[in-house]
């Protein structure tokens, strides 16, 4: 399954290109799920996507700036891929500085869409093989998730709960054991009962972290040093 987002403030165009994308995927025998966005709300949901078709000019919103925010957030995952769409040829060079996966002029949509989707899906499948995975054991059932799909991990009584893009999973184990496995893989211990994944941190203050899915998590007094490290790492992500 390939999750595809179409981002354009023109709702009519979103409907048109969605049909064309679905048709192209059917021709390529690719199973896809599409969702339309009409503003920068895609930034909060970008981690759920594999491929984003992004209009460069959306009224007061710059598609190029939206792309920069998405790339910053997904720096560690390489996904989603971004394909720019535009009818503004004078913005081509500015758009290419962001280094998108590809670029399609709207007038060339008919001829360019299918080959671009084919190349993007090949790249997505390659990236998926490279992404690090983690196995969660729920009783007799084992679930494998990508590490960067985990929002945060907390514990309750004898269980550790993994909150992920795919949903919540629980494992009968100790949080300290999970911490030992993931401490060098971008997870921060922000209190005695919670680990948070750096790739999903939207903002950070002295006593609170906001994730890109809207969840707010408290930083305990004994873990204040982690705030400085988080801020430092977030600044480095912009470099």
């Amino acid at each position: 399954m390939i999750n595809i987002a179409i981002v354009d403030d023109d709702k009519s165009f979103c409907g048109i290109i969605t049909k064309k994308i679905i048709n192209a995927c059917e021709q390529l025998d690719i199973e896809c799920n599409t969702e339309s966005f009409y503003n920068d709300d895609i930034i909060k949901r970008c981690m759920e996507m594999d491929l984003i078709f992004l209009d460069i000019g959306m009224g007061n919103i710059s598609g190029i700036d939206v792309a920069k925010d998405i790339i910053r957030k997904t720096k560690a995952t390489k996904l989603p891929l971004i394909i720019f769409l535009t009818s503004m040829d004078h913005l081509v060079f500015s758009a290419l500085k962001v280094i998108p996966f590809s670029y399609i002029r709207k007038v060339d949509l008919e001829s360019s869409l299918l080959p671009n989707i084919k190349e993007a899906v090949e790249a997505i499948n390659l990236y998926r093989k490279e992404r690090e995975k983690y196995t969660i054991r729920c009783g007799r059932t084992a679930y494998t998730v990508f590490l960067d799909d985990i929002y945060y991990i907390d514990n309750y009584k004898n269980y550790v709960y993994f909150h992920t893009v795919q949903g919540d999973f629980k494992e009968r184990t100790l949080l300290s054991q999970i911490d030992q496995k993931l401490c060098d893989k971008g997870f921060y211990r922000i209190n005695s009962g919670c680990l948070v994944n750096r790739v999903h941190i939207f903002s950070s203050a002295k006593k609170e972290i906001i994730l890109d899915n809207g969840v707010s998590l408290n930083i305990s007094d004994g873990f204040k040093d982690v705030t400085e490290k988080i801020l430092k790492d977030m600044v480095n992500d912009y470099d």
Side-chain angles (χ1 to χ4, degrees):
M1 174 67 74
I2 303 296
N3 294 313
I4 302 174
I6 301 95
V7 188
D8 196 304
D9 61 338
D10 186 337
K11 294 184 179 181
S12 176
F13 179 76
C14 278
I16 292 171
I17 191 173
T18 295
K19 291 180 181 179
K20 292 182 181 296
I21 288 171
I22 292 173
N23 181 57
C25 287
E26 288 177 350
Q27 291 183 55
L28 295 167
D29 197 24
I30 295 168
E31 187 176 0
C32 73
N33 177 59
T34 63
E35 188 169 354
S36 295
F37 297 82
Y38 311 113
N39 50 43
D40 57 1
D41 286 347
I42 182 60
I43 296 173
K44 295 180 181 179
R45 298 278 307 283
C46 65
M47 293 295 291
E48 302 172 29
M49 303 300 165
D50 300 303
L51 177 62
I52 297 176
F53 286 89
L54 177 60
D55 185 26
I56 291 179
M58 296 184 288
N60 296 326
I61 301 172
S62 166
I64 295 174
D65 289 341
V66 171
K68 289 178 180 178
D69 285 339
I70 291 173
I71 291 171
R72 176 189 64 80
K73 285 185 60 177
T74 59
K75 186 176 181 180
T77 68
K78 298 183 180 180
L79 293 176
L81 302 182
I82 294 175
I83 295 179
F84 276 131
L85 298 170
T86 191
S87 55
M88 302 178 181
D89 291 344
H90 64 283
L91 293 178
V92 171
F93 293 109
S94 296
L96 293 179
K97 289 180 181 179
V98 182
I99 313 180
F101 179 77
S102 188
Y103 176 98
I104 299 177
R105 296 169 68 238
K106 290 184 178 180
V107 294
D108 298 328
L109 198 58
E110 291 291 342
S111 61
S112 300
L113 187 60
L114 191 145
N116 270 274
I117 290 177
K118 183 177 184 295
E119 292 179 10
V121 171
E122 290 174 350
I124 288 166
N125 289 333
L126 179 61
Y127 289 148
R128 282 177 171 176
K129 291 179 181 179
E130 295 175 347
R131 290 169 72 190
E132 192 166 358
K133 299 177 181 179
Y134 186 86
T135 300
I136 305 168
R137 303 192 180 280
C138 306
R140 296 181 179 179
T141 305
Y143 298 95
T144 299
V145 299
F146 293 115
L147 273 183
D148 49 62
D149 277 347
I150 300 173
Y151 289 115
Y152 67 101
I153 306 167
D154 58 9
N155 65 342
Y156 180 71
K157 293 185 177 179
N158 297 321
Y159 289 92
V160 169
Y161 291 81
F162 295 78
H163 304 276
T164 79
V165 171
Q166 291 76 27
D168 297 339
F169 304 91
K170 70 176 182 179
E171 179 177 353
R172 190 179 179 88
T173 185
L174 299 175
L175 188 66
S176 58
Q177 294 180 347
I178 304 299
D179 190 11
Q180 290 178 0
K181 295 178 182 178
L182 301 180
C183 64
D184 62 344
K185 299 184 183 296
F187 284 77
Y188 302 107
R189 187 75 173 263
I190 61 171
N191 58 53
S192 60
C194 184
L195 299 172
V196 62
N197 192 344
R198 65 171 289 183
V199 301
H200 289 291
I201 295 176
F202 179 73
S203 64
S204 175
K206 288 185 178 181
K207 292 188 176 182
E208 181 184 42
I209 284 176
I210 305 295
L211 302 184
D212 53 21
N213 64 348
V215 171
S216 173
L217 301 170
N218 293 325
I219 301 176
S220 298
D221 290 340
F223 294 81
K224 286 183 178 179
D225 290 346
V226 77
T227 304
E228 183 177 346
K229 178 172 175 54
I230 290 172
L231 291 173
K232 181 179 179 181
D233 288 342
M234 289 178 71
V235 169
N236 289 337
D237 283 344
Y238 277 102
D239 294 339

